[in-house]
Amino acid sequence: MEYQITLVESAEGVAVWCDDLPGCCSQGATREEALANIREAIREWLEAQPEIEARFHVKVQREVITV
């Protein structure tokens, strides 16, 4: 699957988050490190989704809409 991410570079490093997965974010000292870290964070987010839904009695859904 493909996910859209946002990267923000600063003097302290690179912050990155997945626009499609609420709360899925990471960082790294370099762009490459940040990308590796967000890939891992996305995998972990997706693995945890069923547990999150069961524990908090919610349904996480993702959709694409046109504005």
Side-chain angles (χ1 to χ4, degrees):
M1 290 209 57
E2 292 183 358
Y3 293 95
Q4 183 170 330
I5 61 167
T6 299
L7 296 125
V8 177
E9 297 184 42
S10 72
E12 289 131 10
V14 182
V16 59
W17 57 88
C18 180
D19 302 326
D20 299 323
L21 306 176
C24 185
C25 55
S26 193
Q27 61 187 16
T30 65
R31 186 181 199 288
E32 292 75 24
E33 182 180 2
L35 290 173
N37 290 343
I38 195 63
R39 284 184 179 99
E40 182 178 346
I42 290 170
R43 283 191 295 273
E44 290 176 3
W45 194 101
L46 293 171
E47 287 174 10
Q49 181 179 345
E51 180 181 340
I52 292 167
E53 290 178 347
R55 181 178 290 180
F56 297 104
H57 307 291
V58 297
K59 177 72 176 155
V60 177
Q61 298 177 331
R62 293 176 298 282
E63 296 182 20
V64 175
I65 63 169
T66 302
V67 179

Short mmCIF file of all heavy atoms in Angstrom, two decimals:
data_model
loop_
_atom_site.label_atom_id
_atom_site.label_comp_id
_atom_site.label_asym_id
_atom_site.label_seq_id
_atom_site.Cartn_x
_atom_site.Cartn_y
_atom_site.Cartn_z
N MET A 1 0.82 -1.18 0.00
CA MET A 1 0.00 0.00 0.00
C MET A 1 0.87 1.25 0.00
O MET A 1 2.00 1.21 0.45
CB MET A 1 -0.91 0.03 1.23
CG MET A 1 -1.99 -1.01 1.18
SD MET A 1 -3.52 -0.62 2.05
CE MET A 1 -4.11 0.87 1.38
N GLU A 2 0.30 2.30 -0.46
CA GLU A 2 0.98 3.59 -0.46
C GLU A 2 0.28 4.52 0.52
O GLU A 2 -0.95 4.55 0.58
CB GLU A 2 0.98 4.21 -1.85
CG GLU A 2 1.83 3.46 -2.84
CD GLU A 2 1.87 4.15 -4.20
OE1 GLU A 2 1.20 5.19 -4.39
OE2 GLU A 2 2.56 3.64 -5.08
N TYR A 3 1.08 5.28 1.26
CA TYR A 3 0.55 6.24 2.20
C TYR A 3 1.24 7.57 1.98
O TYR A 3 2.45 7.62 1.76
CB TYR A 3 0.79 5.79 3.65
CG TYR A 3 -0.02 4.57 4.01
CD1 TYR A 3 0.52 3.30 3.92
CD2 TYR A 3 -1.34 4.70 4.43
CE1 TYR A 3 -0.22 2.18 4.23
CE2 TYR A 3 -2.09 3.59 4.75
CZ TYR A 3 -1.53 2.33 4.65
OH TYR A 3 -2.27 1.23 4.95
N GLN A 4 0.47 8.65 2.05
CA GLN A 4 1.05 9.98 1.91
C GLN A 4 1.65 10.39 3.24
O GLN A 4 1.05 10.21 4.30
CB GLN A 4 -0.03 10.98 1.51
CG GLN A 4 0.53 12.38 1.29
CD GLN A 4 -0.49 13.30 0.67
OE1 GLN A 4 -1.36 12.87 -0.08
NE2 GLN A 4 -0.39 14.56 1.00
N ILE A 5 2.86 10.94 3.19
CA ILE A 5 3.54 11.41 4.40
C ILE A 5 3.92 12.87 4.23
O ILE A 5 3.99 13.38 3.11
CB ILE A 5 4.79 10.57 4.72
CG1 ILE A 5 5.80 10.65 3.58
CG2 ILE A 5 4.42 9.14 5.03
CD1 ILE A 5 7.17 10.12 3.95
N THR A 6 4.17 13.52 5.36
CA THR A 6 4.65 14.90 5.37
C THR A 6 5.97 14.91 6.12
O THR A 6 6.08 14.34 7.20
CB THR A 6 3.64 15.83 6.06
OG1 THR A 6 2.41 15.78 5.33
CG2 THR A 6 4.15 17.26 6.11
N LEU A 7 6.98 15.55 5.54
CA LEU A 7 8.29 15.70 6.17
C LEU A 7 8.55 17.17 6.46
O LEU A 7 8.26 18.02 5.63
CB LEU A 7 9.41 15.20 5.24
CG LEU A 7 9.37 13.71 4.92
CD1 LEU A 7 9.35 13.50 3.44
CD2 LEU A 7 10.54 13.04 5.56
N VAL A 8 9.08 17.44 7.65
CA VAL A 8 9.45 18.80 8.01
C VAL A 8 10.90 18.77 8.48
O VAL A 8 11.22 18.14 9.49
CB VAL A 8 8.54 19.36 9.13
CG1 VAL A 8 9.00 20.75 9.53
CG2 VAL A 8 7.09 19.37 8.69
N GLU A 9 11.78 19.43 7.72
CA GLU A 9 13.20 19.44 8.05
C GLU A 9 13.54 20.70 8.83
O GLU A 9 13.07 21.79 8.51
CB GLU A 9 14.02 19.37 6.77
CG GLU A 9 13.81 18.07 6.00
CD GLU A 9 14.69 17.94 4.78
OE1 GLU A 9 15.88 18.29 4.87
OE2 GLU A 9 14.18 17.50 3.74
N SER A 10 14.37 20.53 9.86
CA SER A 10 14.83 21.66 10.66
C SER A 10 16.28 21.41 11.05
O SER A 10 16.85 20.36 10.72
CB SER A 10 13.97 21.84 11.91
OG SER A 10 14.23 20.80 12.83
N ALA A 11 16.85 22.31 11.78
CA ALA A 11 18.23 22.15 12.24
C ALA A 11 18.38 20.95 13.17
O ALA A 11 19.46 20.39 13.30
CB ALA A 11 18.70 23.42 12.94
N GLU A 12 17.29 20.55 13.82
CA GLU A 12 17.34 19.44 14.77
C GLU A 12 17.13 18.08 14.11
O GLU A 12 17.31 17.05 14.75
CB GLU A 12 16.29 19.65 15.85
CG GLU A 12 16.65 20.78 16.80
CD GLU A 12 15.50 21.74 16.99
OE1 GLU A 12 14.38 21.44 16.55
OE2 GLU A 12 15.74 22.81 17.56
N GLY A 13 16.70 18.03 12.86
CA GLY A 13 16.45 16.76 12.19
C GLY A 13 15.21 16.84 11.33
O GLY A 13 14.81 17.92 10.89
N VAL A 14 14.58 15.69 11.13
CA VAL A 14 13.42 15.60 10.25
C VAL A 14 12.26 14.97 11.01
O VAL A 14 12.38 13.86 11.52
CB VAL A 14 13.75 14.77 9.00
CG1 VAL A 14 12.56 14.71 8.06
CG2 VAL A 14 14.96 15.33 8.27
N ALA A 15 11.15 15.69 11.08
CA ALA A 15 9.91 15.15 11.63
C ALA A 15 9.08 14.63 10.46
O ALA A 15 9.11 15.20 9.37
CB ALA A 15 9.14 16.23 12.38
N VAL A 16 8.36 13.55 10.68
CA VAL A 16 7.56 12.96 9.61
C VAL A 16 6.30 12.37 10.20
O VAL A 16 6.31 11.83 11.30
CB VAL A 16 8.39 11.90 8.83
CG1 VAL A 16 8.86 10.79 9.73
CG2 VAL A 16 7.62 11.36 7.65
N TRP A 17 5.19 12.52 9.46
CA TRP A 17 3.96 11.86 9.88
C TRP A 17 3.21 11.37 8.67
O TRP A 17 3.40 11.83 7.56
CB TRP A 17 3.09 12.78 10.75
CG TRP A 17 2.70 14.07 10.12
CD1 TRP A 17 1.60 14.31 9.34
CD2 TRP A 17 3.40 15.32 10.21
NE1 TRP A 17 1.58 15.63 8.95
CE2 TRP A 17 2.66 16.27 9.48
CE3 TRP A 17 4.56 15.73 10.86
CZ2 TRP A 17 3.06 17.60 9.36
CZ3 TRP A 17 4.95 17.04 10.74
CH2 TRP A 17 4.21 17.95 10.00
N CYS A 18 2.37 10.38 8.94
CA CYS A 18 1.55 9.79 7.88
C CYS A 18 0.21 10.51 7.88
O CYS A 18 -0.53 10.44 8.85
CB CYS A 18 1.38 8.30 8.12
SG CYS A 18 0.38 7.51 6.85
N ASP A 19 -0.09 11.19 6.80
CA ASP A 19 -1.32 11.97 6.70
C ASP A 19 -2.56 11.09 6.77
O ASP A 19 -3.62 11.56 7.18
CB ASP A 19 -1.33 12.77 5.39
CG ASP A 19 -0.14 13.71 5.28
OD1 ASP A 19 0.31 14.24 6.32
OD2 ASP A 19 0.34 13.92 4.16
N ASP A 20 -2.44 9.83 6.38
CA ASP A 20 -3.59 8.94 6.31
C ASP A 20 -3.88 8.20 7.62
O ASP A 20 -4.96 7.62 7.76
CB ASP A 20 -3.37 7.89 5.22
CG ASP A 20 -3.21 8.52 3.84
OD1 ASP A 20 -3.89 9.53 3.57
OD2 ASP A 20 -2.41 8.01 3.05
N LEU A 21 -2.95 8.20 8.57
CA LEU A 21 -3.10 7.43 9.80
C LEU A 21 -2.95 8.35 11.01
O LEU A 21 -1.83 8.72 11.38
CB LEU A 21 -2.06 6.31 9.86
CG LEU A 21 -2.02 5.36 8.65
CD1 LEU A 21 -0.89 4.37 8.78
CD2 LEU A 21 -3.36 4.65 8.48
N PRO A 22 -4.04 8.73 11.65
CA PRO A 22 -3.97 9.68 12.77
C PRO A 22 -3.02 9.22 13.87
O PRO A 22 -3.07 8.07 14.31
CB PRO A 22 -5.41 9.71 13.29
CG PRO A 22 -6.25 9.23 12.15
CD PRO A 22 -5.39 8.27 11.39
N GLY A 23 -2.15 10.12 14.27
CA GLY A 23 -1.21 9.82 15.36
C GLY A 23 0.02 9.05 14.95
O GLY A 23 0.88 8.77 15.78
N CYS A 24 0.14 8.70 13.69
CA CYS A 24 1.29 7.92 13.22
C CYS A 24 2.38 8.90 12.78
O CYS A 24 2.28 9.53 11.73
CB CYS A 24 0.87 7.02 12.06
SG CYS A 24 2.20 5.92 11.50
N CYS A 25 3.41 9.01 13.62
CA CYS A 25 4.47 9.97 13.34
C CYS A 25 5.80 9.43 13.85
O CYS A 25 5.86 8.48 14.62
CB CYS A 25 4.17 11.31 13.98
SG CYS A 25 3.87 11.21 15.74
N SER A 26 6.87 10.05 13.38
CA SER A 26 8.21 9.66 13.81
C SER A 26 9.16 10.81 13.50
O SER A 26 8.73 11.90 13.13
CB SER A 26 8.66 8.37 13.11
OG SER A 26 9.82 7.86 13.74
N GLN A 27 10.44 10.53 13.62
CA GLN A 27 11.46 11.52 13.34
C GLN A 27 12.78 10.82 13.06
O GLN A 27 12.91 9.63 13.25
CB GLN A 27 11.62 12.48 14.51
CG GLN A 27 12.06 11.80 15.79
CD GLN A 27 12.04 12.75 16.97
OE1 GLN A 27 11.46 13.80 16.93
NE2 GLN A 27 12.70 12.35 18.04
N GLY A 28 13.75 11.59 12.64
CA GLY A 28 15.09 11.06 12.40
C GLY A 28 16.09 12.18 12.27
O GLY A 28 15.73 13.33 12.01
N ALA A 29 17.34 11.84 12.44
CA ALA A 29 18.40 12.83 12.30
C ALA A 29 18.57 13.25 10.84
O ALA A 29 18.95 14.39 10.55
CB ALA A 29 19.71 12.27 12.84
N THR A 30 18.26 12.33 9.92
CA THR A 30 18.36 12.60 8.48
C THR A 30 17.04 12.23 7.81
O THR A 30 16.20 11.55 8.39
CB THR A 30 19.47 11.77 7.83
OG1 THR A 30 19.12 10.38 7.94
CG2 THR A 30 20.82 12.01 8.50
N ARG A 31 16.91 12.65 6.57
CA ARG A 31 15.70 12.30 5.79
C ARG A 31 15.58 10.79 5.66
O ARG A 31 14.50 10.22 5.83
CB ARG A 31 15.80 12.96 4.41
CG ARG A 31 14.58 12.81 3.55
CD ARG A 31 14.81 13.50 2.19
NE ARG A 31 13.62 13.80 1.47
CZ ARG A 31 12.83 12.92 0.86
NH1 ARG A 31 13.10 11.65 0.92
NH2 ARG A 31 11.75 13.31 0.20
N GLU A 32 16.68 10.12 5.37
CA GLU A 32 16.67 8.67 5.19
C GLU A 32 16.26 7.96 6.48
O GLU A 32 15.48 7.00 6.45
CB GLU A 32 18.04 8.19 4.72
CG GLU A 32 18.42 8.63 3.33
CD GLU A 32 18.82 10.11 3.23
OE1 GLU A 32 19.25 10.71 4.25
OE2 GLU A 32 18.68 10.68 2.14
N GLU A 33 16.79 8.43 7.61
CA GLU A 33 16.43 7.83 8.89
C GLU A 33 14.95 8.06 9.20
O GLU A 33 14.25 7.15 9.66
CB GLU A 33 17.30 8.40 10.01
CG GLU A 33 17.02 7.78 11.36
CD GLU A 33 17.89 8.36 12.47
OE1 GLU A 33 18.70 9.28 12.21
OE2 GLU A 33 17.75 7.89 13.61
N ALA A 34 14.47 9.26 8.94
CA ALA A 34 13.06 9.57 9.18
C ALA A 34 12.15 8.69 8.32
O ALA A 34 11.13 8.20 8.79
CB ALA A 34 12.79 11.04 8.93
N LEU A 35 12.52 8.48 7.06
CA LEU A 35 11.72 7.63 6.18
C LEU A 35 11.70 6.19 6.66
O LEU A 35 10.67 5.52 6.65
CB LEU A 35 12.23 7.72 4.74
CG LEU A 35 11.99 9.06 4.04
CD1 LEU A 35 12.70 9.09 2.69
CD2 LEU A 35 10.50 9.32 3.89
N ALA A 36 12.85 5.68 7.09
CA ALA A 36 12.91 4.32 7.63
C ALA A 36 12.03 4.21 8.88
O ALA A 36 11.30 3.23 9.06
CB ALA A 36 14.35 3.93 7.94
N ASN A 37 12.09 5.23 9.73
CA ASN A 37 11.32 5.21 10.97
C ASN A 37 9.82 5.30 10.72
O ASN A 37 9.04 4.63 11.40
CB ASN A 37 11.78 6.34 11.89
CG ASN A 37 13.17 6.10 12.44
OD1 ASN A 37 13.69 4.99 12.41
ND2 ASN A 37 13.79 7.16 12.94
N ILE A 38 9.39 6.09 9.73
CA ILE A 38 7.95 6.20 9.48
C ILE A 38 7.43 4.93 8.83
O ILE A 38 6.30 4.52 9.09
CB ILE A 38 7.57 7.47 8.66
CG1 ILE A 38 6.06 7.75 8.75
CG2 ILE A 38 7.99 7.34 7.21
CD1 ILE A 38 5.54 8.06 10.12
N ARG A 39 8.26 4.26 8.04
CA ARG A 39 7.83 2.97 7.48
C ARG A 39 7.54 1.98 8.61
O ARG A 39 6.54 1.27 8.60
CB ARG A 39 8.89 2.42 6.54
CG ARG A 39 8.91 3.10 5.20
CD ARG A 39 9.92 2.46 4.24
NE ARG A 39 9.90 3.13 2.96
CZ ARG A 39 10.77 4.06 2.59
NH1 ARG A 39 11.75 4.44 3.40
NH2 ARG A 39 10.68 4.62 1.40
N GLU A 40 8.43 1.94 9.59
CA GLU A 40 8.24 1.06 10.74
C GLU A 40 7.01 1.48 11.55
O GLU A 40 6.21 0.64 11.97
CB GLU A 40 9.48 1.07 11.63
CG GLU A 40 9.36 0.16 12.82
CD GLU A 40 10.62 0.15 13.67
OE1 GLU A 40 11.67 0.65 13.22
OE2 GLU A 40 10.54 -0.37 14.79
N ALA A 41 6.84 2.79 11.75
CA ALA A 41 5.69 3.28 12.51
C ALA A 41 4.37 2.93 11.81
O ALA A 41 3.40 2.56 12.46
CB ALA A 41 5.80 4.79 12.70
N ILE A 42 4.34 3.02 10.48
CA ILE A 42 3.13 2.67 9.73
C ILE A 42 2.83 1.19 9.89
O ILE A 42 1.68 0.80 10.15
CB ILE A 42 3.28 3.05 8.24
CG1 ILE A 42 3.24 4.57 8.09
CG2 ILE A 42 2.19 2.39 7.39
CD1 ILE A 42 3.63 5.08 6.71
N ARG A 43 3.84 0.33 9.77
CA ARG A 43 3.62 -1.11 9.95
C ARG A 43 3.07 -1.40 11.35
O ARG A 43 2.11 -2.17 11.50
CB ARG A 43 4.92 -1.88 9.73
CG ARG A 43 5.29 -2.05 8.27
CD ARG A 43 6.43 -3.04 8.09
NE ARG A 43 7.66 -2.59 8.68
CZ ARG A 43 8.56 -1.82 8.08
NH1 ARG A 43 8.35 -1.42 6.84
NH2 ARG A 43 9.67 -1.46 8.69
N GLU A 44 3.64 -0.77 12.35
CA GLU A 44 3.19 -1.00 13.73
C GLU A 44 1.79 -0.45 13.96
O GLU A 44 0.98 -1.06 14.65
CB GLU A 44 4.18 -0.38 14.71
CG GLU A 44 5.50 -1.13 14.75
CD GLU A 44 6.54 -0.50 15.64
OE1 GLU A 44 6.23 0.52 16.32
OE2 GLU A 44 7.66 -1.03 15.69
N TRP A 45 1.48 0.70 13.37
CA TRP A 45 0.14 1.28 13.50
C TRP A 45 -0.89 0.32 12.92
O TRP A 45 -1.92 0.06 13.54
CB TRP A 45 0.11 2.62 12.77
CG TRP A 45 -1.08 3.49 13.08
CD1 TRP A 45 -1.10 4.56 13.92
CD2 TRP A 45 -2.40 3.39 12.53
NE1 TRP A 45 -2.35 5.13 13.93
CE2 TRP A 45 -3.18 4.43 13.09
CE3 TRP A 45 -3.02 2.53 11.63
CZ2 TRP A 45 -4.52 4.62 12.79
CZ3 TRP A 45 -4.36 2.72 11.33
CH2 TRP A 45 -5.09 3.75 11.89
N LEU A 46 -0.60 -0.20 11.72
CA LEU A 46 -1.54 -1.11 11.08
C LEU A 46 -1.70 -2.41 11.86
O LEU A 46 -2.80 -2.96 11.95
CB LEU A 46 -1.10 -1.39 9.64
CG LEU A 46 -1.15 -0.18 8.70
CD1 LEU A 46 -0.50 -0.52 7.38
CD2 LEU A 46 -2.58 0.31 8.51
N GLU A 47 -0.62 -2.91 12.45
CA GLU A 47 -0.70 -4.13 13.26
C GLU A 47 -1.54 -3.89 14.52
O GLU A 47 -2.24 -4.78 14.97
CB GLU A 47 0.70 -4.59 13.66
CG GLU A 47 1.48 -5.18 12.52
CD GLU A 47 2.92 -5.51 12.91
OE1 GLU A 47 3.27 -5.45 14.10
OE2 GLU A 47 3.70 -5.83 12.00
N ALA A 48 -1.46 -2.68 15.07
CA ALA A 48 -2.17 -2.37 16.32
C ALA A 48 -3.63 -1.99 16.09
O ALA A 48 -4.42 -1.99 17.04
CB ALA A 48 -1.46 -1.23 17.04
N GLN A 49 -4.03 -1.69 14.88
CA GLN A 49 -5.38 -1.21 14.61
C GLN A 49 -6.47 -2.13 15.16
O GLN A 49 -7.39 -1.64 15.83
CB GLN A 49 -5.59 -0.98 13.12
CG GLN A 49 -6.98 -0.46 12.78
CD GLN A 49 -7.17 -0.20 11.31
OE1 GLN A 49 -6.23 -0.13 10.53
NE2 GLN A 49 -8.41 -0.06 10.90
N PRO A 50 -6.43 -3.44 14.95
CA PRO A 50 -7.49 -4.29 15.50
C PRO A 50 -7.57 -4.23 17.03
O PRO A 50 -8.67 -4.21 17.59
CB PRO A 50 -7.11 -5.69 15.02
CG PRO A 50 -6.26 -5.47 13.82
CD PRO A 50 -5.51 -4.21 14.09
N GLU A 51 -6.44 -4.17 17.69
CA GLU A 51 -6.43 -4.08 19.15
C GLU A 51 -7.01 -2.75 19.62
O GLU A 51 -7.76 -2.69 20.60
CB GLU A 51 -5.02 -4.25 19.69
CG GLU A 51 -4.94 -4.17 21.20
CD GLU A 51 -3.53 -4.31 21.73
OE1 GLU A 51 -2.66 -4.83 21.02
OE2 GLU A 51 -3.31 -3.88 22.87
N ILE A 52 -6.65 -1.67 18.93
CA ILE A 52 -7.18 -0.34 19.28
C ILE A 52 -8.69 -0.33 19.14
O ILE A 52 -9.41 0.15 20.02
CB ILE A 52 -6.53 0.75 18.39
CG1 ILE A 52 -5.06 0.90 18.73
CG2 ILE A 52 -7.27 2.07 18.52
CD1 ILE A 52 -4.27 1.71 17.73
N GLU A 53 -9.20 -0.90 18.05
CA GLU A 53 -10.64 -0.94 17.83
C GLU A 53 -11.34 -1.73 18.92
O GLU A 53 -12.38 -1.32 19.44
CB GLU A 53 -10.95 -1.51 16.45
CG GLU A 53 -10.56 -0.59 15.32
CD GLU A 53 -10.83 -1.16 13.95
OE1 GLU A 53 -11.10 -2.38 13.83
OE2 GLU A 53 -10.76 -0.40 12.97
N ALA A 54 -10.77 -2.89 19.29
CA ALA A 54 -11.39 -3.74 20.31
C ALA A 54 -11.32 -3.10 21.69
O ALA A 54 -12.31 -3.09 22.43
CB ALA A 54 -10.71 -5.10 20.33
N ARG A 55 -10.20 -2.55 22.04
CA ARG A 55 -10.01 -1.98 23.38
C ARG A 55 -10.87 -0.75 23.61
O ARG A 55 -11.41 -0.55 24.69
CB ARG A 55 -8.54 -1.65 23.61
CG ARG A 55 -8.29 -1.07 25.01
CD ARG A 55 -6.85 -0.80 25.24
NE ARG A 55 -6.15 -2.07 25.34
CZ ARG A 55 -4.84 -2.17 25.54
NH1 ARG A 55 -4.11 -1.09 25.66
NH2 ARG A 55 -4.26 -3.35 25.62
N PHE A 56 -10.97 0.12 22.60
CA PHE A 56 -11.68 1.38 22.79
C PHE A 56 -13.06 1.39 22.14
O PHE A 56 -13.72 2.43 22.11
CB PHE A 56 -10.83 2.54 22.25
CG PHE A 56 -9.53 2.70 23.00
CD1 PHE A 56 -8.34 2.27 22.43
CD2 PHE A 56 -9.51 3.22 24.28
CE1 PHE A 56 -7.14 2.39 23.12
CE2 PHE A 56 -8.32 3.35 24.98
CZ PHE A 56 -7.13 2.92 24.39
N HIS A 57 -13.49 0.25 21.62
CA HIS A 57 -14.82 0.11 21.02
C HIS A 57 -15.07 1.17 19.95
O HIS A 57 -16.09 1.87 19.95
CB HIS A 57 -15.91 0.17 22.10
CG HIS A 57 -15.68 -0.80 23.20
ND1 HIS A 57 -15.80 -2.16 23.03
CD2 HIS A 57 -15.28 -0.62 24.48
CE1 HIS A 57 -15.52 -2.78 24.16
NE2 HIS A 57 -15.19 -1.85 25.06
N VAL A 58 -14.09 1.30 19.06
CA VAL A 58 -14.19 2.24 17.95
C VAL A 58 -13.89 1.49 16.66
O VAL A 58 -13.34 0.40 16.66
CB VAL A 58 -13.20 3.42 18.09
CG1 VAL A 58 -13.52 4.23 19.33
CG2 VAL A 58 -11.77 2.94 18.10
N LYS A 59 -14.26 2.07 15.56
CA LYS A 59 -13.93 1.55 14.24
C LYS A 59 -13.09 2.59 13.52
O LYS A 59 -13.54 3.73 13.32
CB LYS A 59 -15.21 1.25 13.45
CG LYS A 59 -14.97 0.77 12.05
CD LYS A 59 -14.43 -0.64 12.03
CE LYS A 59 -14.31 -1.11 10.59
NZ LYS A 59 -13.31 -2.14 10.44
N VAL A 60 -11.87 2.24 13.18
CA VAL A 60 -10.98 3.15 12.46
C VAL A 60 -11.20 2.93 10.97
O VAL A 60 -11.09 1.81 10.48
CB VAL A 60 -9.50 2.89 12.83
CG1 VAL A 60 -8.59 3.80 12.02
CG2 VAL A 60 -9.28 3.06 14.32
N GLN A 61 -11.55 3.99 10.27
CA GLN A 61 -11.79 3.89 8.84
C GLN A 61 -11.00 4.96 8.11
O GLN A 61 -10.80 6.06 8.63
CB GLN A 61 -13.27 4.07 8.53
CG GLN A 61 -14.13 3.01 9.16
CD GLN A 61 -15.61 3.26 8.90
OE1 GLN A 61 -16.04 4.39 8.74
NE2 GLN A 61 -16.37 2.19 8.86
N ARG A 62 -10.56 4.63 6.92
CA ARG A 62 -9.86 5.58 6.09
C ARG A 62 -10.57 5.65 4.74
O ARG A 62 -10.92 4.62 4.17
CB ARG A 62 -8.40 5.16 5.91
CG ARG A 62 -7.61 5.24 7.18
CD ARG A 62 -6.20 4.72 7.03
NE ARG A 62 -6.11 3.32 6.67
CZ ARG A 62 -6.29 2.30 7.53
NH1 ARG A 62 -6.58 2.53 8.76
NH2 ARG A 62 -6.15 1.06 7.12
N GLU A 63 -10.79 6.85 4.28
CA GLU A 63 -11.46 7.05 2.99
C GLU A 63 -10.79 8.21 2.26
O GLU A 63 -10.15 9.05 2.87
CB GLU A 63 -12.95 7.39 3.19
CG GLU A 63 -13.73 6.28 3.83
CD GLU A 63 -15.20 6.63 3.96
OE1 GLU A 63 -15.67 7.53 3.23
OE2 GLU A 63 -15.86 6.01 4.80
N VAL A 64 -10.97 8.21 0.97
CA VAL A 64 -10.51 9.32 0.14
C VAL A 64 -11.74 10.06 -0.35
O VAL A 64 -12.69 9.44 -0.85
CB VAL A 64 -9.67 8.82 -1.05
CG1 VAL A 64 -9.30 9.97 -1.96
CG2 VAL A 64 -8.45 8.07 -0.56
N ILE A 65 -11.75 11.37 -0.17
CA ILE A 65 -12.86 12.17 -0.66
C ILE A 65 -12.33 13.27 -1.55
O ILE A 65 -11.17 13.65 -1.46
CB ILE A 65 -13.69 12.78 0.50
CG1 ILE A 65 -12.85 13.74 1.34
CG2 ILE A 65 -14.28 11.69 1.36
CD1 ILE A 65 -13.67 14.55 2.31
N THR A 66 -13.18 13.78 -2.39
CA THR A 66 -12.82 14.89 -3.26
C THR A 66 -13.45 16.15 -2.70
O THR A 66 -14.62 16.16 -2.36
CB THR A 66 -13.33 14.63 -4.69
OG1 THR A 66 -12.77 13.41 -5.15
CG2 THR A 66 -12.92 15.75 -5.61
N VAL A 67 -12.66 17.20 -2.61
CA VAL A 67 -13.16 18.48 -2.08
C VAL A 67 -13.17 19.51 -3.19
O VAL A 67 -12.29 19.58 -3.99
CB VAL A 67 -12.26 18.97 -0.92
CG1 VAL A 67 -12.76 20.30 -0.40
CG2 VAL A 67 -12.24 17.93 0.17
#
